[in-house]
Short mmCIF file of all heavy atoms in Angstrom, two decimals:
data_model
loop_
_atom_site.label_atom_id
_atom_site.label_comp_id
_atom_site.label_asym_id
_atom_site.label_seq_id
_atom_site.Cartn_x
_atom_site.Cartn_y
_atom_site.Cartn_z
N LEU A 1 0.84 -1.25 0.10
CA LEU A 1 -0.04 0.00 -0.06
C LEU A 1 0.90 1.22 -0.02
O LEU A 1 1.69 1.40 0.90
CB LEU A 1 -0.88 -0.02 1.26
CG LEU A 1 -2.00 1.14 1.38
CD1 LEU A 1 -3.06 0.95 0.24
CD2 LEU A 1 -2.59 1.15 2.66
N VAL A 2 0.66 2.19 -0.91
CA VAL A 2 1.57 3.31 -1.11
C VAL A 2 0.52 4.46 -1.15
O VAL A 2 -0.31 4.58 -1.95
CB VAL A 2 2.35 3.24 -2.41
CG1 VAL A 2 3.25 4.61 -2.49
CG2 VAL A 2 3.30 1.98 -2.47
N ALA A 3 0.91 5.48 -0.28
CA ALA A 3 0.14 6.81 -0.31
C ALA A 3 0.97 7.81 -0.59
O ALA A 3 2.16 7.94 -0.10
CB ALA A 3 -0.52 7.00 1.10
N ARG A 4 0.63 8.68 -1.54
CA ARG A 4 1.41 9.98 -2.00
C ARG A 4 0.68 11.11 -1.78
O ARG A 4 -0.58 11.20 -2.05
CB ARG A 4 1.83 9.81 -3.39
CG ARG A 4 2.66 8.49 -3.77
CD ARG A 4 2.83 8.52 -5.29
NE ARG A 4 3.43 7.31 -5.71
CZ ARG A 4 4.74 7.22 -5.94
NH1 ARG A 4 5.60 8.13 -5.79
NH2 ARG A 4 5.27 6.01 -6.23
N LEU A 5 1.32 12.27 -1.41
CA LEU A 5 0.75 13.52 -1.25
C LEU A 5 1.71 14.54 -1.75
O LEU A 5 2.84 14.48 -1.33
CB LEU A 5 0.32 13.78 0.17
CG LEU A 5 -0.71 14.93 0.43
CD1 LEU A 5 -1.97 14.76 -0.21
CD2 LEU A 5 -0.85 15.12 1.96
N GLU A 6 1.25 15.47 -2.58
CA GLU A 6 2.26 16.47 -3.18
C GLU A 6 1.57 17.86 -3.29
O GLU A 6 0.29 17.88 -3.63
CB GLU A 6 2.75 16.11 -4.50
CG GLU A 6 3.66 16.94 -5.18
CD GLU A 6 4.07 16.56 -6.49
OE1 GLU A 6 3.37 15.74 -7.15
OE2 GLU A 6 5.19 16.99 -6.94
N THR A 7 2.15 18.83 -2.84
CA THR A 7 1.71 20.11 -2.96
C THR A 7 2.75 21.04 -3.57
O THR A 7 3.87 20.95 -3.32
CB THR A 7 1.18 20.74 -1.68
OG1 THR A 7 0.52 21.95 -1.81
CG2 THR A 7 2.31 20.94 -0.69
N VAL A 8 2.22 21.94 -4.36
CA VAL A 8 3.14 22.89 -5.13
C VAL A 8 2.59 24.28 -4.82
O VAL A 8 1.45 24.62 -5.04
CB VAL A 8 3.19 22.67 -6.69
CG1 VAL A 8 4.05 23.73 -7.33
CG2 VAL A 8 3.72 21.23 -6.96
N ILE A 9 3.54 25.11 -4.32
CA ILE A 9 3.23 26.60 -4.04
C ILE A 9 3.93 27.42 -5.16
O ILE A 9 5.14 27.70 -5.03
CB ILE A 9 3.70 27.03 -2.65
CG1 ILE A 9 3.14 26.10 -1.63
CG2 ILE A 9 3.25 28.39 -2.37
CD1 ILE A 9 3.63 26.13 -0.28
N ASP A 10 3.24 27.79 -6.17
CA ASP A 10 3.83 28.42 -7.35
C ASP A 10 4.51 29.76 -7.03
O ASP A 10 5.68 30.00 -7.51
CB ASP A 10 2.68 28.66 -8.39
CG ASP A 10 2.36 27.42 -9.10
OD1 ASP A 10 3.07 26.46 -9.18
OD2 ASP A 10 1.03 27.32 -9.52
N TRP A 11 3.95 30.61 -6.18
CA TRP A 11 4.48 31.87 -6.00
C TRP A 11 5.82 31.83 -5.32
O TRP A 11 6.67 32.74 -5.51
CB TRP A 11 3.50 32.80 -5.24
CG TRP A 11 3.15 32.37 -3.88
CD1 TRP A 11 2.08 31.55 -3.44
CD2 TRP A 11 3.86 32.59 -2.74
NE1 TRP A 11 2.02 31.22 -2.33
CE2 TRP A 11 3.12 31.92 -1.65
CE3 TRP A 11 5.03 33.28 -2.37
CZ2 TRP A 11 3.53 32.00 -0.29
CZ3 TRP A 11 5.39 33.33 -1.01
CH2 TRP A 11 4.58 32.75 -0.04
N SER A 12 6.06 30.79 -4.50
CA SER A 12 7.29 30.71 -3.88
C SER A 12 8.31 29.65 -4.55
O SER A 12 9.35 29.32 -3.93
CB SER A 12 7.18 30.32 -2.38
OG SER A 12 6.61 29.09 -2.29
N ASP A 13 7.81 28.93 -5.56
CA ASP A 13 8.51 27.91 -6.23
C ASP A 13 8.99 26.83 -5.29
O ASP A 13 10.04 26.29 -5.28
CB ASP A 13 9.76 28.50 -6.96
CG ASP A 13 10.24 27.61 -8.13
OD1 ASP A 13 9.41 26.62 -8.47
OD2 ASP A 13 11.30 27.87 -8.76
N THR A 14 7.93 26.34 -4.45
CA THR A 14 8.22 25.30 -3.39
C THR A 14 7.33 24.09 -3.70
O THR A 14 6.18 24.20 -4.09
CB THR A 14 7.78 25.88 -1.99
OG1 THR A 14 8.61 27.11 -1.74
CG2 THR A 14 8.05 24.91 -0.95
N ARG A 15 7.90 22.91 -3.55
CA ARG A 15 7.14 21.70 -3.68
C ARG A 15 7.45 20.79 -2.56
O ARG A 15 8.65 20.59 -2.12
CB ARG A 15 7.62 20.92 -4.98
CG ARG A 15 6.81 19.64 -5.20
CD ARG A 15 7.11 19.15 -6.51
NE ARG A 15 8.46 18.70 -6.80
CZ ARG A 15 8.84 17.49 -6.53
NH1 ARG A 15 8.03 16.58 -6.12
NH2 ARG A 15 10.17 17.17 -6.61
N VAL A 16 6.45 20.24 -1.93
CA VAL A 16 6.53 19.32 -0.80
C VAL A 16 5.85 17.94 -1.17
O VAL A 16 4.72 18.06 -1.71
CB VAL A 16 5.93 19.78 0.49
CG1 VAL A 16 6.05 18.86 1.65
CG2 VAL A 16 6.43 21.23 0.97
N ALA A 17 6.66 16.94 -1.17
CA ALA A 17 6.08 15.56 -1.52
C ALA A 17 6.27 14.55 -0.37
O ALA A 17 7.35 14.58 0.25
CB ALA A 17 6.76 15.15 -2.75
N ALA A 18 5.30 13.89 -0.02
CA ALA A 18 5.47 12.76 1.00
C ALA A 18 4.95 11.51 0.44
O ALA A 18 3.86 11.36 -0.24
CB ALA A 18 4.54 13.25 2.22
N LEU A 19 5.58 10.38 0.86
CA LEU A 19 5.16 9.13 0.42
C LEU A 19 5.33 8.16 1.58
O LEU A 19 6.33 8.33 2.37
CB LEU A 19 6.10 8.50 -0.66
CG LEU A 19 5.93 7.16 -1.17
CD1 LEU A 19 6.08 7.09 -2.67
CD2 LEU A 19 6.86 6.14 -0.48
N CYS A 20 4.40 7.25 1.72
CA CYS A 20 4.42 6.29 2.85
C CYS A 20 3.99 5.00 2.14
O CYS A 20 3.06 4.80 1.40
CB CYS A 20 3.39 6.58 3.97
SG CYS A 20 3.53 5.48 5.29
N ARG A 21 4.92 3.93 2.37
CA ARG A 21 4.65 2.58 1.78
C ARG A 21 4.61 1.55 2.91
O ARG A 21 5.59 1.42 3.71
CB ARG A 21 5.85 2.35 0.82
CG ARG A 21 5.73 1.00 0.16
CD ARG A 21 6.92 0.81 -0.87
NE ARG A 21 6.48 -0.20 -1.75
CZ ARG A 21 7.25 -0.48 -2.84
NH1 ARG A 21 8.38 0.21 -3.14
NH2 ARG A 21 7.03 -1.40 -3.59
N LEU A 22 3.64 0.79 2.89
CA LEU A 22 3.51 -0.34 3.83
C LEU A 22 3.38 -1.66 3.03
O LEU A 22 2.52 -1.68 2.10
CB LEU A 22 2.21 -0.25 4.71
CG LEU A 22 1.96 1.08 5.31
CD1 LEU A 22 0.55 1.14 5.96
CD2 LEU A 22 2.95 1.33 6.49
N ASN A 23 4.14 -2.69 3.44
CA ASN A 23 3.96 -3.84 2.68
C ASN A 23 4.13 -5.08 3.70
O ASN A 23 4.83 -5.01 4.71
CB ASN A 23 5.02 -4.06 1.40
CG ASN A 23 6.46 -3.96 1.95
OD1 ASN A 23 6.92 -4.57 2.78
ND2 ASN A 23 7.14 -3.09 1.16
N ALA A 24 3.43 -6.25 3.24
CA ALA A 24 3.41 -7.34 3.98
C ALA A 24 3.64 -8.60 3.10
O ALA A 24 3.09 -8.69 1.94
CB ALA A 24 2.05 -7.63 4.78
N LEU A 25 4.70 -9.49 3.58
CA LEU A 25 4.97 -10.69 2.77
C LEU A 25 4.68 -11.88 3.58
O LEU A 25 5.08 -12.09 4.71
CB LEU A 25 6.57 -10.62 2.56
CG LEU A 25 7.21 -11.54 1.59
CD1 LEU A 25 6.66 -11.25 0.17
CD2 LEU A 25 8.77 -11.48 1.66
N THR A 26 3.79 -12.72 3.02
CA THR A 26 3.25 -14.01 3.82
C THR A 26 3.63 -15.16 3.11
O THR A 26 3.34 -15.27 1.79
CB THR A 26 1.80 -13.90 3.96
OG1 THR A 26 1.45 -12.68 4.67
CG2 THR A 26 1.30 -15.01 4.82
N ASP A 27 4.34 -16.23 3.73
CA ASP A 27 4.73 -17.33 2.98
C ASP A 27 3.50 -18.20 2.76
O ASP A 27 2.64 -18.20 3.60
CB ASP A 27 5.86 -18.04 3.68
CG ASP A 27 5.38 -18.70 5.03
OD1 ASP A 27 4.42 -18.18 5.56
OD2 ASP A 27 6.10 -19.61 5.50
N GLU A 28 3.60 -18.87 1.59
CA GLU A 28 2.54 -19.79 1.34
C GLU A 28 2.99 -21.19 1.73
O GLU A 28 3.82 -21.88 0.95
CB GLU A 28 2.17 -19.76 -0.19
CG GLU A 28 1.74 -18.44 -0.62
CD GLU A 28 1.46 -18.34 -2.17
OE1 GLU A 28 1.93 -19.31 -2.92
OE2 GLU A 28 0.62 -17.60 -2.56
N ARG A 29 2.54 -21.71 2.79
CA ARG A 29 3.05 -23.06 3.37
C ARG A 29 2.18 -24.12 2.88
O ARG A 29 0.93 -23.99 2.65
CB ARG A 29 2.92 -23.02 4.92
CG ARG A 29 3.84 -21.97 5.61
CD ARG A 29 4.11 -22.35 6.99
NE ARG A 29 5.26 -21.62 7.42
CZ ARG A 29 5.91 -21.85 8.55
NH1 ARG A 29 5.48 -22.94 9.30
NH2 ARG A 29 7.07 -21.27 8.97
N SER A 30 2.83 -25.22 2.53
CA SER A 30 2.17 -26.39 2.10
C SER A 30 1.44 -27.08 3.19
O SER A 30 1.79 -26.85 4.39
CB SER A 30 3.13 -27.41 1.45
OG SER A 30 4.09 -27.82 2.40
N PRO A 31 0.40 -27.96 2.93
CA PRO A 31 -0.26 -28.59 4.15
C PRO A 31 0.62 -29.43 4.91
O PRO A 31 0.29 -29.72 6.20
CB PRO A 31 -1.31 -29.50 3.49
CG PRO A 31 -1.47 -28.74 2.17
CD PRO A 31 -0.19 -28.20 1.74
N SER A 32 1.81 -29.90 4.53
CA SER A 32 2.80 -30.68 5.30
C SER A 32 3.58 -29.90 6.22
O SER A 32 4.15 -30.38 7.05
CB SER A 32 3.68 -31.54 4.32
OG SER A 32 4.51 -30.63 3.53
N GLN A 33 3.64 -28.58 6.03
CA GLN A 33 4.41 -27.66 6.96
C GLN A 33 3.57 -27.29 8.17
O GLN A 33 2.43 -26.95 8.08
CB GLN A 33 4.86 -26.46 6.21
CG GLN A 33 5.80 -26.69 5.15
CD GLN A 33 6.24 -25.45 4.33
OE1 GLN A 33 5.27 -24.85 3.82
NE2 GLN A 33 7.44 -25.18 4.19
N ALA A 34 4.31 -27.35 9.36
CA ALA A 34 3.66 -27.23 10.64
C ALA A 34 3.57 -25.61 10.89
O ALA A 34 4.53 -24.93 10.50
CB ALA A 34 4.30 -27.87 11.66
N GLY A 35 2.55 -25.25 11.66
CA GLY A 35 2.57 -23.79 12.24
C GLY A 35 1.81 -22.94 11.27
O GLY A 35 1.61 -23.18 10.04
N PRO A 36 1.47 -21.79 11.75
CA PRO A 36 0.79 -20.85 10.93
C PRO A 36 1.77 -20.12 9.85
O PRO A 36 2.97 -20.17 10.09
CB PRO A 36 0.26 -19.80 11.96
CG PRO A 36 1.21 -19.86 13.07
CD PRO A 36 1.74 -21.27 13.16
N PRO A 37 1.26 -19.61 8.87
CA PRO A 37 2.18 -18.91 7.86
C PRO A 37 2.88 -17.72 8.61
O PRO A 37 2.26 -17.09 9.41
CB PRO A 37 1.10 -18.41 6.79
CG PRO A 37 -0.09 -19.20 7.00
CD PRO A 37 -0.14 -19.63 8.48
N ARG A 38 4.11 -17.43 8.18
CA ARG A 38 4.94 -16.24 8.68
C ARG A 38 4.67 -15.19 7.80
O ARG A 38 4.57 -15.17 6.60
CB ARG A 38 6.30 -16.69 8.55
CG ARG A 38 6.65 -17.90 9.56
CD ARG A 38 8.14 -18.28 9.27
NE ARG A 38 8.24 -18.77 7.92
CZ ARG A 38 9.38 -19.11 7.35
NH1 ARG A 38 10.60 -18.81 7.86
NH2 ARG A 38 9.39 -19.63 6.16
N THR A 39 4.35 -13.97 8.54
CA THR A 39 4.24 -12.63 7.86
C THR A 39 5.32 -11.68 8.23
O THR A 39 5.60 -11.53 9.39
CB THR A 39 2.86 -12.07 8.15
OG1 THR A 39 1.86 -13.01 7.80
CG2 THR A 39 2.75 -10.81 7.44
N SER A 40 5.87 -11.00 7.27
CA SER A 40 6.87 -10.01 7.51
C SER A 40 6.32 -8.80 6.99
O SER A 40 5.83 -8.58 5.93
CB SER A 40 8.13 -10.41 6.94
OG SER A 40 9.08 -9.32 7.07
N THR A 41 6.38 -7.63 7.73
CA THR A 41 6.00 -6.31 7.32
C THR A 41 7.01 -5.38 7.37
O THR A 41 8.03 -5.47 8.12
CB THR A 41 4.82 -5.84 8.33
OG1 THR A 41 5.28 -5.78 9.54
CG2 THR A 41 3.56 -6.75 8.30
N ALA A 42 6.91 -4.31 6.50
CA ALA A 42 7.89 -3.26 6.46
C ALA A 42 7.24 -1.95 6.08
O ALA A 42 6.19 -1.92 5.59
CB ALA A 42 8.84 -3.59 5.39
N THR A 43 7.70 -0.91 6.66
CA THR A 43 7.30 0.41 6.33
C THR A 43 8.38 1.34 5.87
O THR A 43 9.51 1.43 6.37
CB THR A 43 6.77 1.15 7.63
OG1 THR A 43 5.77 0.27 8.28
CG2 THR A 43 6.20 2.53 7.48
N ARG A 44 8.06 2.09 4.81
CA ARG A 44 9.03 3.03 4.18
C ARG A 44 8.37 4.44 4.06
O ARG A 44 7.19 4.52 3.94
CB ARG A 44 9.39 2.49 2.74
CG ARG A 44 10.07 1.21 2.60
CD ARG A 44 11.62 1.23 3.01
NE ARG A 44 12.16 0.19 2.37
CZ ARG A 44 12.41 -1.03 2.91
NH1 ARG A 44 11.75 -1.37 4.03
NH2 ARG A 44 13.12 -1.88 2.33
N PHE A 45 9.14 5.38 4.23
CA PHE A 45 8.64 6.75 3.94
C PHE A 45 9.72 7.59 3.34
O PHE A 45 10.86 7.27 3.32
CB PHE A 45 8.21 7.27 5.32
CG PHE A 45 9.26 7.75 6.27
CD1 PHE A 45 10.00 8.91 6.17
CD2 PHE A 45 9.79 6.69 7.07
CE1 PHE A 45 11.06 9.12 7.01
CE2 PHE A 45 10.87 6.95 8.05
CZ PHE A 45 11.58 8.14 7.97
N ASP A 46 9.19 8.71 2.75
CA ASP A 46 10.10 9.65 1.99
C ASP A 46 9.29 10.97 2.08
O ASP A 46 8.23 11.08 1.47
CB ASP A 46 10.37 9.23 0.59
CG ASP A 46 11.33 10.12 -0.08
OD1 ASP A 46 11.86 11.01 0.58
OD2 ASP A 46 11.57 9.90 -1.30
#
């Protein structure tokens, strides 16, 4: 999931941009593997 927000203020020639990224990676376990699926999450921002 990526959210972006950008604003430009023309009279001052200013630009502000923000990005936030959330992701989750879940392994697909076969029926022979024990335990619940493992999930790893990460957050990035700029």
Side-chain angles (χ1 to χ4, degrees):
L1 185 66
V2 178
R4 299 175 190 263
L5 195 64
E6 181 180 22
T7 183
V8 178
I9 304 169
D10 287 331
W11 60 268
S12 64
D13 205 7
T14 303
R15 182 170 67 90
V16 179
L19 178 142
C20 183
R21 180 176 197 174
L22 308 171
N23 57 51
L25 189 69
T26 303
D27 70 337
E28 296 180 342
R29 295 198 163 196
S30 66
S32 64
Q33 292 175 308
R38 293 170 296 169
T39 299
S40 175
T41 59
T43 303
R44 301 281 205 271
F45 68 89
D46 185 6

